Amino acid sequence: MSIFGSKEIKLIVKFQKLTSQGDLNWHIIDAPKTLVSATDDFIPICYSTEYEGKKFIIYSRRYQNYSPEFEQLYFEERVEIAMVDFVGRVLWEYTGSATVLTDLFSIVKHQTSGIDDIFDKL
């Protein structure tokens, strides 16, 4: 793994830890239009937080891909994370297939869902 890649993973792991501890809070937002402008991609859910004075978003992207073996289009989905400015322009993004990114997305979904409130009342 390159040094550049390891820094990205390190940041994502830090976000996992801070989110799990309740020190980093995420909120559901409408995905910035710049993420899908001039594409057929779809962002079904997007979360936002602030860290070190910067705005970060994590989201699920659905897009079409082509299978030459079956000669047909099919849908895929991947989790992405980005740093954006105040109008939603992407300043930095990470779209790697790292498991830690998918794990962070699961932690964020759990945190923002409010399911723990329901579990606590059982």
Side-chain angles (χ1 to χ4, degrees):
M1 178 182 292
S2 73
I3 294 171
F4 182 70
S6 66
K7 287 182 180 181
E8 294 166 334
I9 299 300
K10 186 175 179 181
L11 178 65
I12 294 167
V13 170
K14 175 97 174 178
F15 283 178
Q16 281 182 345
K17 181 179 177 185
L18 292 172
T19 303
S20 294
Q21 294 172 340
D23 295 329
L24 190 61
N25 294 307
W26 298 79
H27 308 282
I28 295 175
I29 63 165
D30 291 332
K33 298 205 183 310
T34 57
L35 293 177
V36 293
S37 180
T39 72
D40 290 328
D41 295 0
F42 175 64
I43 309 287
I45 195 153
C46 182
Y47 301 94
S48 172
T49 193
E50 285 197 25
Y51 178 73
E52 298 289 330
K54 305 289 185 183
K55 183 176 180 179
F56 288 87
I57 58 174
I58 188 168
Y59 50 94
S60 173
R61 177 185 297 271
R62 292 182 186 158
Y63 59 97
Q64 283 189 334
N65 209 341
Y66 180 75
S67 168
E69 181 181 345
F70 298 107
E71 297 181 358
Q72 68 181 17
L73 291 170
Y74 64 96
F75 285 95
E76 279 197 85
E77 187 168 357
R78 72 174 174 246
V79 175
E80 301 178 359
I81 190 167
M83 183 174 66
V84 296
D85 66 8
F86 67 97
V87 293
R89 291 178 294 216
V90 175
L91 304 174
W92 169 86
E93 65 185 331
Y94 180 72
T95 61
S97 60
T99 304
V100 293
L101 186 55
T102 305
D103 292 345
L104 173 61
F105 190 70
S106 294
I107 294 166
V108 170
K109 281 178 71 171
H110 184 90
Q111 180 200 63
T112 59
S113 71
I115 193 69
D116 282 336
D117 295 335
I118 293 171
F119 290 155
D120 291 343
K121 292 179 183 176
L122 292 178

